[in-house]
Amino acid sequence: MIILIPAYEPDHQLITLIQNLQEADPWLTIVVVDDGSGPDYQDTFDDAARLGCHVLSYDVNGGKGHALKSGFAFIAERFPGNDVVCADSDGQHGVADILAVADRVRHVTASMVLGCRNFTGDVPARSRFGNTVTRWLFRLATGQRITDTQTGLRGYRADMIPWLLSVRGQRYEYELNLLLEAKQAGYGIHSIEIATVYLDDNSGSHFRPVADSIRIYAPLLKFLGSSLSAFAVDTVMFLVLLASTDSLLIAVLGARVVSASVNFMVNRRLVFEHGKDTSFRAAATGYVALVLVLLTANYAAMWTLTSLAVPDLLAKLVTEVALLGVSYAVQHRFLFVRKGHDASTERPLPTEPAAVETHIPALVPAQFQHSLTGKSGDQSPKRFRSN
């Protein structure tokens, strides 16, 4: 079992975590990634190396996703066949919880394991709000209920590493992308409850509320922007056709044909990452079927609301908002999926090695000059027990 710890400008909590892990299980292999922290933090990473950790270091900060993928690539090369548990360096993850995730990983098949916080007690407001928003957006997108989508404590089977390296994202958005793409890749998501720990009001976090939130929510924000544009087109056409024909059916149908055509092209080319991986014919056929279902639901809802004397425009707003989540979930999960996966079985099909290499960070292989031989003795793989 490998413990992978990405770290950027870490404080003393990193060394404390390493020491506590080694006391709990001296056989653990620990890989620490210095994500461009700079010379002011060199002593901390040198201490980690002296404790027997493998320390990967590079000069420029690349983001958490970049650091994780650097670690995965190193582990795949140096410790093939070993499962991986990722933990944060800021003291939020207790040793008992890390080992509990590691134990669960050994007993699952084709699944990642999340250490999920329950967010009870004294939790910083921004952390509670951010997780709540992401949790509901994730459920909207995938239909899956996960209590902690932002957890950094995650376990992965060894055979998942090629997929981990193929998923896009260099910063905090990478971990959400893994959750969003897991089902399409044929992987399940298991959760275990862990303690909710925030030290000093989470002052050790390097999360940037605005910039990183935009990165995390980008797929959903792009879809929302596309949907709002289509909604504007649909609403204008609806009002024009309703005024000119005085027919609710013609107004709904005509407006939807125009707006759906625009929405399909935008979603396929700009919104969904794997939209262009799906053949135009297959995507268009599925989209037309989705539009017909949504159109039926739209007309039924509009008829019901207007029959209850709800104004036309208000009825239109309520109906479109209600169906927005359904539309996103179906397009993300079924229409615009990654090429090379069998959607009927949700199992990954064979892919060419070049496809896996596409998103490996440019700075891998990392520099290993800080992987020093310290008091723990020989740093060769023979020293460590294979799990």
Side-chain angles (χ1 to χ4, degrees), residues 17 126 294 364-365 382:
L17 174 62
R126 72 171 187 174
L294 293 179
V364 174
K382 294 184 294 183

Side-chain angles (χ1 to χ4, degrees), residues 13 15 22 46 54 74 76 114 142 193 195 246 279 286 309 328 353 387:
Q13 296 293 341
I15 300 303
Q22 291 177 333
D46 286 344
H54 295 267
F74 172 72
L114 306 182
T142 68
E193 185 173 324
D246 197 31
S279 72
Y328 180 87
N387 292 304

Side-chain angles (χ1 to χ4, degrees), residues 41 45 97 103 138 140 144 148 151 155 183 205 208 246 298 300 325:
Y41 297 86
F45 291 105
D97 290 330
D103 182 66
F138 178 79
L140 175 68
Q144 295 177 280
D148 186 3
T151 180
K183 188 171 184 178
S205 173
R208 300 167 298 176
D246 197 31
N298 185 295

Side-chain angles (χ1 to χ4, degrees), residues 9-303:
E9 298 183 353
D11 57 18
H12 67 281
Q13 296 293 341
L14 172 60
I15 300 303
T16 300
L17 174 62
I18 292 169
Q19 292 172 330
N20 291 340
L21 282 168
Q22 291 177 333
E23 289 178 5
D25 186 348
W27 295 104
L28 285 174
T29 301
I30 302 176
V31 175
V32 177
V33 181
D34 170 13
D35 186 21
S37 301
D40 292 343
Y41 297 86
Q42 189 59 60
D43 289 345
T44 299
F45 291 105
D46 286 344
D47 288 342
R50 293 188 185 95
L51 287 170
C53 299
H54 295 267
V55 178
L56 285 62
S57 181
Y58 36 84
D59 295 333
V60 180
N61 173 252
K64 188 176 184 182
H66 180 278
L68 287 170
K69 285 190 274 192
S70 298
F72 292 142
F74 172 72
I75 291 166
E77 178 183 352
R78 294 287 296 273
F79 303 103
N82 280 266
D83 301 332
V84 183
V85 172
C86 302
D88 292 341
S89 64
D90 55 7
Q92 288 193 34
H93 302 142
V95 171
D97 290 330
I98 294 173
L99 297 181
V101 169
D103 182 66
R104 178 66 65 87
V105 170
R106 296 186 181 99
H107 297 91
V108 299
T109 302
S111 295
M112 69 174 73
V113 177
L114 306 182
C116 294
R117 299 159 292 184
N118 56 21
F119 291 94
T120 58
D122 187 15
V123 178
R126 72 171 187 174
S127 298
R128 188 186 297 276
F129 175 78
N131 187 75
T132 300
V133 171
T134 310
R135 182 174 69 245
W136 281 103
L137 288 175
F138 178 79
R139 186 178 180 186
L140 175 68
T142 68
Q144 295 177 280
R145 184 192 297 270
I146 296 178
T147 60
D148 186 3
T149 57
Q150 296 180 327
T151 180
L153 180 54
R154 304 180 179 207
Y156 306 99
R157 300 282 297 182
D159 57 11
M160 296 177 68
I161 290 181
W163 171 70
L164 295 171
L165 291 170
S166 76
V167 175
R168 294 184 182 273
Q170 297 297 306
R171 296 187 179 275
Y172 287 103
E173 77 278 7
Y174 171 68
E175 291 181 305
L176 182 60
N177 288 343
L178 290 175
L179 298 180
L180 288 171
E181 296 196 18
K183 188 171 184 178
Q184 292 179 7
Y187 297 116
I189 300 175
H190 289 253
S191 301
I192 65 172
E193 185 173 324
I194 64 172
T196 305
V197 179
Y198 285 100
L199 302 177
D200 192 21
D201 199 36
N202 203 25
S203 61
S205 173
H206 296 284
F207 183 84
R208 300 167 298 176
V210 177
D212 290 324
S213 292
I214 291 175
R215 284 179 175 272
I216 288 173
Y217 302 137
L220 300 172
L221 291 174
K222 285 191 295 184
F223 177 80
L224 183 60
S226 170
S227 298
L228 288 175
S229 299
F231 170 70
V233 172
D234 192 89
T235 300
V236 171
M237 291 299 300
F238 170 77
L239 294 175
V240 170
L241 291 172
L242 185 63
S244 60
T245 66
D246 197 31
S247 169
L248 178 62
L249 179 59
I250 293 177
V252 170
L253 286 173
R256 186 49 51 93
V257 168
V258 175
S259 64
S261 299
V262 173
N263 186 244
F264 170 75
M265 297 304 298
V266 172
N267 286 353
R268 184 170 184 267
R269 292 186 172 274
L270 301 177
V271 174
F272 292 98
E273 179 180 339
H274 305 298
K276 289 181 287 187
D277 291 346
T278 307
S279 72
F280 181 88
R281 178 180 295 180
T285 301
Y287 190 83
V288 169
L290 173 63
V291 168
L292 292 176
V293 172
L294 293 179
L295 185 59
T296 302
N298 185 295
Y299 180 75
M302 286 285 296
W303 184 86

